Amino acid sequence: MAKSKYEYVRNFELQDRLLPSTWLVVRIDGQGFTRFTAKHGFAKPNDIRALNLMNRAAKVVVESMVEIVLAYGQSDEYSFVFSKDAKAYERRASKLSTLLVSKFTSAYVYYWSEFFAGTRLEFPPAFDSRVVMYPSDRIMRDYLCWRQVDCHINNMYNTCFWALVNKGGMTQKEAEKRLSGTLSKDKNELLFSEFGINYNNEPAIFKKGSVVVRDEVPVEIVDAQGDASKRAKTEVAILHCDIIKDAFWNERPEILEGKGTRAGRKAAFRRQREAELAAEAPEAPEAADKAKQEN
């Protein structure tokens, strides 16, 4: 930035760097989505098109930032978890929050027609965002547990509510009154006895939400000389699974590993890119040799 007599105004900027060695979670939420979903004819209680669009936008965000180790989404919200040693944008809260919400929103609009073919966007969707620090693995996991439990509670209520309205002929006020004070077992019984719905058989994406992780998959790479080799390629995957129990975390210990994980991801991405470039450039065998030597 060029120096001038006006540069002093930079002193008014807040230094909003987040604490080091803490998990960073950026959560985005749909703004005014009750009106947005009604205007665009979203199916109730769940619209699979809308959920898949949210997942597609989240995938764009995760693919763009190597220090995001996990993301979790449900309904009109998504949480992105940065590793404890993340250095992106010097851990500035404003930078991380605004970058993620703008990238997510632009991806949501960009891919809208892919999931809502024939449905015109009547007005722009909007999302707000916040960033929160969590000091320990346990507290970060408890945050994600909170969001997944919230998904289950809201989905069971909404499944009952809209069954009463759409199939039971009740008004929304009547359905709300009918469900007031009911417990989980009451809602399960209502769904099964009155509408023949076994809640356990509902799609996992509705009950558990979506979990975005990085998976390593084996791929075959053929270099400029025609030699084939197996490599591990990192891909972003979307799961619909339980993240409350230990099984998920035991199967994916790299999520909690910290610095080693970050360095490993960067090395894997570098190797992947070098191999792809080698395969795409037969006129430059030296590039392929370099990729081989480094692996």
Side-chain angles (χ1 to χ4, degrees), residues 31-90:
Q31 184 66 243
F33 256 56
T34 299
R35 174 172 173 255
F36 182 84
T37 57
K39 186 69 174 179
H40 294 91
F42 281 29
K44 301 293 185 180
N46 294 289
D47 193 314
I48 190 63
R49 301 170 302 170
L51 294 175
N52 286 335
L53 175 56
M54 290 285 290
N55 290 341
R56 185 66 185 90
K59 188 176 180 181
V60 169
V61 174
V62 174
E63 288 174 336
S64 70
M65 301 201 73
V66 71
E67 292 176 317
I68 295 175
V69 297
L70 175 73
Y72 175 76
Q74 53 125 333
S75 186
D76 64 345
E77 72 169 58
Y78 241 102
S79 298
F80 298 91
V81 182
F82 284 81
S83 62
K84 288 191 289 187
D85 66 306
K87 301 294 191 298
Y89 296 95
E90 299 180 313

Side-chain angles (χ1 to χ4, degrees), residues 166-273:
N166 295 334
K167 298 180 180 181
M170 287 188 176
T171 66
Q172 293 189 19
K173 284 188 177 181
E174 290 171 339
E176 186 177 348
K177 184 177 181 180
R178 172 75 184 278
L179 294 174
S180 178
T182 56
L183 303 176
S184 219
K185 63 178 183 179
D186 303 321
K187 295 183 180 71
N188 269 310
E189 176 62 24
L190 183 154
L191 287 171
F192 189 74
S193 62
E194 297 189 27
F195 303 105
I197 297 173
N198 185 336
Y199 185 77
N200 291 330
N201 295 334
E202 289 293 288
I205 187 174
F206 298 162
K207 297 183 297 182
K208 298 183 182 297
S210 299
V211 187
V212 185
V213 296
R214 301 183 195 277
D215 273 342
E216 286 195 351
V217 296
V219 294
E220 185 176 272
I221 299 294
V222 179
D223 64 21
Q225 286 73 40
D227 297 327
S229 61
K230 292 285 187 180
R231 305 285 174 86
K233 180 180 180 180
T234 302
E235 292 185 348
V236 173
I238 298 174
L239 313 175
H240 312 294
C241 62
D242 190 318
I243 57 174
I244 296 174
K245 296 176 182 176
D246 290 337
F248 172 83
W249 302 93
N250 292 338
E251 291 171 4
R252 300 175 181 278
E254 69 277 2
I255 293 175
L256 300 177
E257 282 178 1
K259 291 184 177 180
T261 304
R262 177 172 176 261
R265 287 196 304 272
K266 285 192 171 181
F269 288 169
R270 186 179 66 251
R271 290 195 302 270
Q272 174 186 324
R273 185 56 183 155

